[in-house]
């Protein structure tokens, strides 16, 4: 009996101790087996098995934390810097072997050059005195594709500048032309006009000898040529005489070229130097001229007008291409710079945005006023006319807008048949804002001749000192290849959209990650408080059971 009572007492105490251990052990959520439970297959299932659940939780928290850091840092960079734009700008630098350098050396786009000739149609009636003024008829256009490459390339110190010569080729495009190169036109005799211009300061006897020689050679101020002869040159008695007489004294006269395109065809003798975008100037002068034939400025004019300032028109510093901005272009045809001013923003080539720039209106000088482009000897030309005889070996060439656009009425009144229309005759360039390259536009200017000292040709007396037109020229930027259009569209539209998306999207991602971490921390804290509360309540129950009054069996014991 006593043995049975002791055994029961031991069993009761052991049960109490087992119950205490069970209550002190924290409760763990029970996993449902796959395919069981109210939710059907997979309901309440964890992604990680029980033994890897802690690792998965830690990895998830770490991933969210990393994403928070990366998105926060990315948002800061996108809002405080222009990393995408800087990357594009770095690609524009003219480094040897780079894509930008290759496209600069061998441009993938070849513009069309349209030449319109002013044909003098009433020359005989004017000579006979029947007509008081000459009548011109615009003929053409005769279209050529201009293929321009750069050769003899040399990099300067620290690759900050590039020196080169131009190699131009002109290919006639008959399907785009209105006429053939066999068309006959009557134009001003440029060799004769140049001879008279160069002799205007000579003595009386020299001028009389010149006029006598011209009559002996039967040279006339106007002559008939084919379009091919006008463009590619010709030979006559006057040219042969000039080469024979002037050649020994002037090497440039030994191989005299009189064709308008002949003087541009092939490798140029002029050496140009441009900034590459490397060095102290950076992109602020990318593509701008630095020197001509090794000299930092010209010697044609006086003062600041001799400065070689501006681009050749093929590319501009990106930081200067902005709404309201101004750009400089140095035109080799006029041997002087021109200022371009912002006009408006347009879209070309299937939606590529660009900034439209137009030439600044020429300054109208007050009576007696001069600027540094004026000749110290002859003074200033009339409004909207530019003297380019300085860089044309004394040839009396004057550059203007087509049909004397923006010039005074008395300039156009010298001849009949001119009708300037801004939409047809004004120059403009549409420039890609981020790349700084022209993506559309037309460069338009007119070559004229100023008549000098033609006394002895009685019907030319009325034209003494006047400016008469020869041709006007238009360069038209053709549509870019499709692959190049994609690049231009990406840098102009897609890149800005991507930048805006990152600027606004990264802060959203960072905010969501931060909220996720806060929510996770809140859930963990709430769970820990619940477990601690449950453990506390369980401990109180055990204590109550252990300190309860002894039972009858224990009393007996």
């Amino acid at each position: 009996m006593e043995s049975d009572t002791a055994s029961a007492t031991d069993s009761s105490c052991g049960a109490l101790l087992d119950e205490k251990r069970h209550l002190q052990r924290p409760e763990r959520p029970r996993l449902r087996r796959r395919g069981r439970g109210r939710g059907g297959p997979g309901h309440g299932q964890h992604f990680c098995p029980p033994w890897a659940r802690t690792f998965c939780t830690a990895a998830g928290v770490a991933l969210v934390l990393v994403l928070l850091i990366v998105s926060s840092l990315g948002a800061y960079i996108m809002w405080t810097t222009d990393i995408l734009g800087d990357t594009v700008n770095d690609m524009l630098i003219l480094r040897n072997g780079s894509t930008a350098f290759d496209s600069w050396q061998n441009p993938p786009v070849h513009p069309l050059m349209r030449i319109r000739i002013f044909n003098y149609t009433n020359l005989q009636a004017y000579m006979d005195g029947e007509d008081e003024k000459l009548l011109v008829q615009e003929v053409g256009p005769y279209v050529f594709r201009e293929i321009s490459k750069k050769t003899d390339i040399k990099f300067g110190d620290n690759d900050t500048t590039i020196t080169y010569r131009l190699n131009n080729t002109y290919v006639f495009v008959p399907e785009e032309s209105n006429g053939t190169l066999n068309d006959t036109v009557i134009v001003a005799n440029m060799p004769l006009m140049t001879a008279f211009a160069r002799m205007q300061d000579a003595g009386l006897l020299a001028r009389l000898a010149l006029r006598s020689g011209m009559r002996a050679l039967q040279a006339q101020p106007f002559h008939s040529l084919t379009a091919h002869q006008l463009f590619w040159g010709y030979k006559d008695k006057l040219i042969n005489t000039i080469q024979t007489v002037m050649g020994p004294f002037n090497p440039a006269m030994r191989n005299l070229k009189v064709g308008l395109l002949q003087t541009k065809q092939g490798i140029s003798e002029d050496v140009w130097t441009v900034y590459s975008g490397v060095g102290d100037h950076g992109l602020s002068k990318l593509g701008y001229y630095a020197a001509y034939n090794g000299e930092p400025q010209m010697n044609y004019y006086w003062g600041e007008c001799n400065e070689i300032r501006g681009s050749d028109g093929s590319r501009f510093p990106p930081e200067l291409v902005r709404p309201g901005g101004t750009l400089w272009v140095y035109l080799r045809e006029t041997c002087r710079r021109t200022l371009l001013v912002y006009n408006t923003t347009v879209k070309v080539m299937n939606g590529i945005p660009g900034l439209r720039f137009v030439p600044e209106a020429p300054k109208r000088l007050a009576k007696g006023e001069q600027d540094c482009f004026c000749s110290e000897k002859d003074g200033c030309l009339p409004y909207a006319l530019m003297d380019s005889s300085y860089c044309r070996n004394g040839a009396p060439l004057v550059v203007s807008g087509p049909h004397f656009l923006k010039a005074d009425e008395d300039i156009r009144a010298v001849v009949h048949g001119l009708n300037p229309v801004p939409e047809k005759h004004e120059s403009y360039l549409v420039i890609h804002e981020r790349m700084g390259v022209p993506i559309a536009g037309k460069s338009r200017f007119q070559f004229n001749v100023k008549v000098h000292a033609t006394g002895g040709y009685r019907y030319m007396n009325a034209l003494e000192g006047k400016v008469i037109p020869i041709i006007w020229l238009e360069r038209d930027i053709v549509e870019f290849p499709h692959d190049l259009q994609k690049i231009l569209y990406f840098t102009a539209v897609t890149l800005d959209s991507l930048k805006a998306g990152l600027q606004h999207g990264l802060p959203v991602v960072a905010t969501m990650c931060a909220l996720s971490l806060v929510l996770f921390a809140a859930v963990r804290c709430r769970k820990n408080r619940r477990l601690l509360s449950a453990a506390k309540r369980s401990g109180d129950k055990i204590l109550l059971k252990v300190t309860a009054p002894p039972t009858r069996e224990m009393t007996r014991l």
Side-chain angles (χ1 to χ4, degrees), residues 2-18 553-554 557:
E2 293 178 357
S3 173
D4 294 340
T5 303
S7 177
T9 302
D10 293 340
S11 176
S12 175
C13 291
L16 289 174
L17 292 175
D18 291 340
E553 289 77 6
M554 295 179 64
L557 177 62

Side-chain angles (χ1 to χ4, degrees), residues 97-119:
S98 66
T99 302
F101 177 80
D102 293 339
S103 64
W104 172 81
Q105 181 182 11
N106 298 301
V109 178
H110 307 301
L112 294 178
M113 187 169 64
R114 307 175 190 273
I115 303 177
R116 294 170 173 87
I117 304 172
F118 290 105
N119 180 34

Side-chain angles (χ1 to χ4, degrees), residues 31-32 34 41-60:
L31 293 176
R32 297 180 184 271
R34 184 183 300 273
H43 181 78
Q45 178 185 351
H46 288 276
F47 290 101
C48 294
W51 58 270
R53 196 169 303 149
T54 302
F55 171 78
C56 290
T57 302

Side-chain angles (χ1 to χ4, degrees), residues 233-270:
Y234 60 94
K235 292 286 187 178
D236 62 6
K237 294 180 181 179
L238 175 59
I239 295 175
N240 291 333
T241 301
I242 292 175
Q243 289 179 331
T244 302
V245 175
M246 300 297 295
F249 306 99
N250 187 348
M253 295 297 176
R254 296 172 187 173
N255 187 26
L256 182 62
K257 296 180 179 180
V258 295
L260 296 176
L261 296 180
Q262 187 182 16
T263 58
K264 300 175 177 293
Q265 178 87 347
I267 299 177
S268 172
E269 297 179 358
D270 298 326

Side-chain angles (χ1 to χ4, degrees), residues 185-472:
V185 293
I186 297 176
V187 294
N189 190 338
M190 279 304 302
L192 182 141
M193 297 288 185
T194 301
F196 277 124
R198 296 183 65 136
M199 293 294 291
Q200 64 176 326
D201 295 328
L204 177 61
L205 293 178
R207 293 200 302 273
L208 290 175
L210 175 64
R211 292 167 189 164
S212 299
M214 294 300 175
R215 292 193 188 96
L217 295 172
Q218 298 180 347
Q220 298 296 323
F222 292 87
H223 57 177
S224 177
L225 297 174
T226 64
H228 186 277
Q229 290 175 321
L230 179 63
F231 297 146
W232 299 110
Y234 60 94
K235 292 286 187 178
D236 62 6
K237 294 180 181 179
L238 175 59
I239 295 175
N240 291 333
T241 301
I242 292 175
Q243 289 179 331
T244 302
V245 175
M246 300 297 295
F249 306 99
N250 187 348
M253 295 297 176
R254 296 172 187 173
N255 187 26
L256 182 62
K257 296 180 179 180
V258 295
L260 296 176
L261 296 180
Q262 187 182 16
T263 58
K264 300 175 177 293
Q265 178 87 347
I267 299 177
S268 172
E269 297 179 358
D270 298 326
V271 178
W272 296 91
T273 303
V274 297
Y275 291 103
S276 65
V278 177
D280 297 336
H281 297 295
L283 295 178
S284 64
K285 289 190 176 182
L286 174 66
Y288 269 31
Y289 285 123
Y292 167 71
N293 288 335
E295 298 295 332
Q297 63 179 17
M298 301 291 188
N299 58 359
Y300 301 138
Y301 310 104
W302 49 285
E304 64 177 4
C305 289
N306 276 320
E307 295 179 0
I308 305 174
R309 185 187 306 172
S311 163
D312 64 352
S314 64
R315 63 190 60 226
F316 296 87
E319 63 186 59
L320 301 181
V321 183
R322 62 183 185 274
T326 58
L327 302 170
W328 286 102
V329 176
Y330 194 90
L331 298 177
R332 292 185 291 267
E333 289 82 0
T334 62
C335 306
R336 58 188 288 178
R337 66 180 187 265
T338 299
L339 184 65
L340 301 180
V341 296
Y342 171 77
N343 176 255
T344 186
T345 300
V346 298
K347 291 186 177 181
V348 299
M349 288 188 294
N350 301 320
I352 301 176
L355 306 185
R356 190 177 191 267
F357 286 80
V358 297
E360 183 185 44
K363 179 183 177 182
R364 186 178 289 277
L365 300 176
K367 185 177 181 180
E369 185 182 3
Q370 288 190 338
D371 66 12
C372 52
F373 285 116
C374 298
S375 168
E376 295 182 354
K377 180 181 64 175
D378 299 330
C380 299
L381 286 175
Y383 179 71
L385 302 183
M386 296 178 288
D387 188 357
S388 65
S389 61
Y390 299 99
C391 59
R392 300 291 178 181
N393 291 321
L397 282 175
V398 174
V399 179
S400 69
H403 288 239
F404 292 119
L405 180 68
K406 298 181 181 180
D408 293 333
E409 182 64 31
D410 59 341
I411 301 298
R412 295 194 299 272
V414 175
V415 296
H416 287 313
L418 300 178
N419 181 31
V421 179
E423 291 75 14
K424 292 174 58 178
H425 300 138
E426 187 174 42
S427 298
Y428 70 91
L429 274 181
V430 178
I431 304 175
H432 192 281
E433 185 172 5
R434 192 175 293 277
M435 304 287 285
V437 296
I439 54 178
K442 296 181 184 294
S443 174
R444 297 158 168 162
F445 47 88
Q446 179 173 301
F447 286 114
N448 314 279
V449 60
K450 185 176 181 181
V451 181
H452 286 284
T454 54
Y457 292 91
R458 63 176 180 81
Y459 61 89
M460 293 297 294
N461 291 339
L463 296 177
E464 178 70 27
K466 304 297 183 181
V467 178
I468 58 176
I470 305 174
I471 64 168
W472 76 271

